[in-house]
Structures are given as structure tokens and as C-alpha cells.
Amino acid sequence: QVHLVESGGGLVQPGGSLRLSCLVSGIHFKFNAMGWYRQAPGKERELVASISNVGVFTNYVDSVKGRFTLSRDNAVSTVYLQMNSLKHEDTAVYFCNTHPRPLDAWGQGTLVTVSS
């Protein structure tokens, strides 16, 4: 059974930083490219960043380039998202899942709220 457990969200002021973590179980983690996705209130879920199975290649949407850094540790089946210089528009629930085709199973997500 697949489990995706996101953590690390919270309330942060504009310009602040957070580090999200996602612990994955039930799949062969090291063989899967992973992505961080987010869903802002009233909007569709979108891909924010992706990382190849061994972490060599990463891609980011333009809106987070230079501010977010995606990494992974295959030894502990965890993917991370370091978010710096956070903006109001980064407010969303953040999820991890496989990429490019997400699994049907999604975790509960972790809420990031950027507000002064």
C-alpha cells in the first residue's frame, strides 16, 4: 500500500523559508522520479518541481525558479523541498507524488501559508 506523508508546512512571513519533507513507502522509491505539487485555494493542483530518480536532474516552474530547491534521499525514501524567499502567492497545500504520472494515491498534503 502506497503512503505519501508530507510535513514541514506552516505559517511564514513573506521572504521567509520553509523546508518540506515527504516520506514515501509502498513503491520502489529509488526507481521513481518525484514531484512536488501544490494546490492553492480555488485553483487546480499544479506541478511545482520535479526530480529524477537519482536526483541528478531537477526542473522547476518559472514562478519558483531560484527560490525553491528540490532534493531527495533515496536511503530514507524522502523527498525535500527547500523554499526560500516565500511570497503570498506560494500559499497552498503542497503534495508530493511520482512524476510525470502521479499515483492515484495522494497524501494529506502540508499547508503553507505566507502572510504578514
Side-chain angles (χ1 to χ4, degrees):
Q1 189 173 5
V2 178
H3 288 285
L4 304 157
V5 182
E6 300 91 350
S7 62
L11 174 64
V12 63
Q13 292 186 342
S17 298
L18 285 173
R19 189 191 193 209
L20 307 185
S21 300
C22 178
L23 176 62
V24 182
S25 60
I27 64 171
H28 293 294
F29 182 76
K30 66 180 180 180
F31 296 136
N32 282 273
M34 296 296 297
W36 276 98
Y37 304 77
R38 67 185 178 187
Q39 187 165 18
K43 295 188 176 181
E44 298 279 327
R45 185 151 45 197
E46 64 169 349
L47 176 69
V48 175
S50 62
I51 188 166
S52 59
N53 63 323
V54 294
V56 173
F57 301 107
T58 54
N59 284 289
Y60 303 89
V61 294
D62 287 345
S63 60
V64 308
K65 280 182 181 176
R67 301 189 297 121
F68 289 12
T69 303
L70 180 52
S71 61
R72 65 190 293 163
D73 186 343
N74 285 352
V76 292
S77 299
T78 301
V79 60
Y80 306 97
L81 186 66
Q82 177 67 42
M83 306 188 297
N84 299 327
S85 302
L86 283 161
K87 303 177 180 180
H88 289 291
E89 51 265 41
D90 295 318
T91 294
V93 180
Y94 285 72
F95 304 86
C96 75
N97 210 315
T98 54
H99 175 77
R101 290 193 300 176
L103 302 169
D104 289 338
W106 290 85
Q108 81 288 349
T110 187
L111 176 63
V112 172
T113 303
V114 184
S115 176
S116 52

